[in-house]
Amino acid sequence: MKRSREQAASELFAALYPRLAGWCRRLVDDDETAHEIASEAFTRLWARWTSVAEPRGFLYVTAANLVRDHWRTLERERKAVRRVTIETAVRPHAEQSDPSVRLLVQSLPERLRVPILLHYYADMPVREVSAVTGRKEGTVKADLHAARELLRAHLRRSLDHIL
């Protein structure tokens, strides 16, 4: 009797998921992230189920790549935090942002706020913002443009009220 695709996948998941998630846990030192990585590896396997000759090897290679991507993201975040911390320590009161600009940036929708904060405040190039957010570079550029236009319009309205 031939097993169904779903049954074979279910048996493979039951047999390999706990060990794969445990292996990822030792690499990333975080249960939630380890389970996300292991789940993503299985999702990618499922998408290629009929073309993968060695599912176990595929799962571990995929998980290893996802762990590497996770480490890279963490390193970029550490560098950004370090850069901001050093800049703050070097010039604590020298160049304080206008609180109204800070409030305007905070009021942006998250889709626009995150690229602005990463690009202008964490000094990340568009390429890095793209990698960190998982968005295409063109999308990041469009979001930065849209955010600048919103900020510009709001600042103009504020100036009109003052003058």
Side-chain angles (χ1 to χ4, degrees):
M1 183 166 96
K2 192 175 183 183
R3 293 184 306 171
S4 72
R5 176 181 182 221
E6 289 80 15
Q7 183 181 358
S10 179
E11 289 172 6
L12 184 72
F13 183 84
L16 295 180
Y17 184 85
R19 178 165 279 165
L20 181 65
W23 180 72
C24 292
R25 169 69 174 86
R26 287 189 299 278
L27 293 172
V28 299
D29 199 32
D30 178 62
D31 282 334
E32 185 177 340
T33 303
H35 284 284
E36 286 175 12
I37 290 171
S39 296
E40 179 63 21
F42 269 95
T43 300
R44 291 181 185 190
L45 172 63
W46 182 251
R48 295 165 186 80
W49 184 252
T50 56
S51 63
V52 174
E54 178 49 53
R56 181 178 180 183
F58 179 90
L59 286 169
Y60 276 87
V61 168
T62 301
N65 289 336
L66 292 168
V67 165
R68 184 195 64 227
D69 292 347
H70 171 74
W71 288 341
R72 286 179 178 163
T73 300
L74 285 179
E75 186 55 30
R76 280 192 296 271
E77 290 170 356
R78 280 188 207 111
K79 284 180 182 177
V81 168
R82 210 174 9 243
R83 189 169 35 234
V84 168
T85 304
I86 290 170
E87 288 175 3
T88 302
V90 169
R91 53 186 168 96
H93 301 292
E95 192 182 298
Q96 288 294 333
S97 297
D98 181 356
S100 61
V101 173
R102 182 177 49 83
L103 292 173
L104 284 175
V105 171
Q106 286 176 343
S107 73
L108 288 171
E110 183 178 356
R111 176 182 67 82
L112 302 177
R113 184 177 61 246
V114 170
I116 286 284
L117 291 173
L118 294 174
H119 185 66
Y120 291 107
Y121 289 83
D123 201 30
M124 286 186 185
V126 170
R127 179 181 33 79
E128 270 188 66
V129 174
S130 170
V132 168
T133 60
R135 299 179 191 158
K136 293 180 180 178
E137 285 186 36
T139 303
V140 170
K141 289 176 184 178
D143 288 346
L144 288 170
H145 175 75
R148 286 190 304 266
E149 289 301 314
L150 279 173
L151 293 171
R152 185 177 293 121
H154 193 76
L155 286 171
R156 277 194 188 121
R157 281 195 304 274
S158 296
L159 285 175
D160 289 345
H161 284 40
I162 294 171
L163 302 175

